[in-house]
Amino acid sequence: MNTELDGKRALVTGGASGIGRAIANALAAEGARVIIGDVDAAAGQTAATEITGRGLHARAVHCDVTKESSVVDAIANVRATEGALDLMVNNAGIGGALAPLTRSQADDWDRVYAVNLRGVFFGIKHAANAMPDGGCIVNIASIAGLRGSSLLGPYGATKAAVIQLTQTAALELAKQHIRVNAICPGWIDTPMLQDLERARLVRQIPLGRIGEPAEVAGLVVYLASSAAAFVTGSILRVDGGIAS
């Protein structure tokens, strides 16, 4: 087994399902001590048990990224049990209602903003304070943040903001030896796609298929590794060429 991340302490928000669960599994397989933060505590525990059942290290903590106090508590829990934090993956996110801007509701905007952007801000802010010896922060954005996406106004706007926030944090935290990067997945096989027509999505993708969560997770592993020691402020696409 590759032990590049042996002993690294990693907190993954939204780690109970979808891309977050794949990230937690991939990091644990590389030797990291994974803490799964999720608003659904039971699902988080199930995901952690799946990992520990393979002889790897994982546990779960409750984390509602829309509440700063909850993010503070989750990171404090990591520091109390692990000593410090080496890797923060700000993955928690929601899609919001599919609607044209002229029919979008303010409540939906507020909900998507609270999870997708405020949650990332809280994660960056408090993770940085838990990394006295430097570390790595990876934010999960989206190709919807790189270009207009019909019916995904709130989602795309928050993901575009995550990209800008990533670049700002990379500049501000470089002197603390904290690297900050963002990953922009395209159409990935997660529950978020359940209400969309898959055949239509595939026709948009040059590689001719929907991506797998593990393909996003692999890039997180790279960014957390020494191979990416000179990589910060980067926005990396995992989209099968759709945004080319």
Side-chain angles (χ1 to χ4, degrees):
M1 182 179 72
N2 188 327
T3 57
E4 170 69 32
L5 302 183
D6 257 3
K8 295 292 185 182
R9 297 149 296 188
L11 174 59
V12 182
T13 68
S17 64
I19 290 173
R21 190 165 185 163
I23 291 170
N25 275 275
L27 292 172
E30 295 292 330
R33 299 175 63 83
V34 176
I35 298 89
I36 295 172
D38 205 283
V39 68
D40 186 336
Q45 185 57 55
T46 297
T49 300
E50 175 187 296
I51 292 172
T52 58
R54 300 199 306 274
L56 304 172
H57 182 91
R59 61 185 183 83
V61 296
H62 177 265
C63 184
D64 180 350
V65 299
T66 68
K67 297 183 172 75
E68 185 168 17
S69 60
S70 184
V71 176
V72 169
D73 288 346
I75 292 174
N77 180 294
V78 175
R79 297 192 74 175
T81 57
E82 306 290 344
L85 182 64
D86 300 298
L87 170 63
M88 178 73 176
V89 184
N90 291 305
N91 165 78
I94 58 174
L98 295 175
L101 292 174
T102 53
R103 297 181 185 175
S104 293
Q105 301 299 311
D107 287 350
D108 190 57
W109 275 83
D110 291 344
R111 186 170 64 95
V112 175
Y113 169 82
V115 178
N116 293 5
L117 184 55
R118 275 168 49 101
V120 173
F121 160 61
F122 294 151
I124 293 172
K125 176 182 178 180
H126 296 292
N129 291 328
M131 296 176 171
D133 300 318
C136 175
I137 298 173
V138 179
N139 301 322
I140 305 301
S142 169
I143 60 166
L146 297 171
R147 62 180 195 171
S149 298
S150 181
L151 307 182
L152 291 172
Y155 180 79
T158 57
K159 293 301 186 177
V162 167
I163 290 168
Q164 199 279 338
L165 188 62
T166 297
Q167 294 171 322
T168 297
L171 291 173
E172 293 184 352
L173 297 176
K175 290 183 180 179
Q176 295 172 231
H177 304 291
I178 297 173
R179 297 181 297 105
V180 188
N181 295 286
I183 295 174
C184 292
W187 297 119
I188 305 296
D189 193 6
T190 68
M192 200 175 286
L193 294 192
Q194 63 186 3
D195 296 327
L196 302 178
E197 183 188 344
R198 296 172 71 91
R200 181 179 64 82
L201 300 181
V202 169
R203 288 195 294 270
Q204 301 174 23
I205 304 170
L207 284 183
R209 66 175 177 85
I210 290 172
E212 296 295 331
E215 293 173 305
V216 180
L219 190 49
V220 175
V221 170
Y222 161 71
L223 289 172
S225 75
S226 60
F230 202 54
V231 179
T232 195
S234 291
I235 311 301
L236 306 172
R237 294 186 292 113
V238 185
D239 67 350
I242 196 172
S244 297

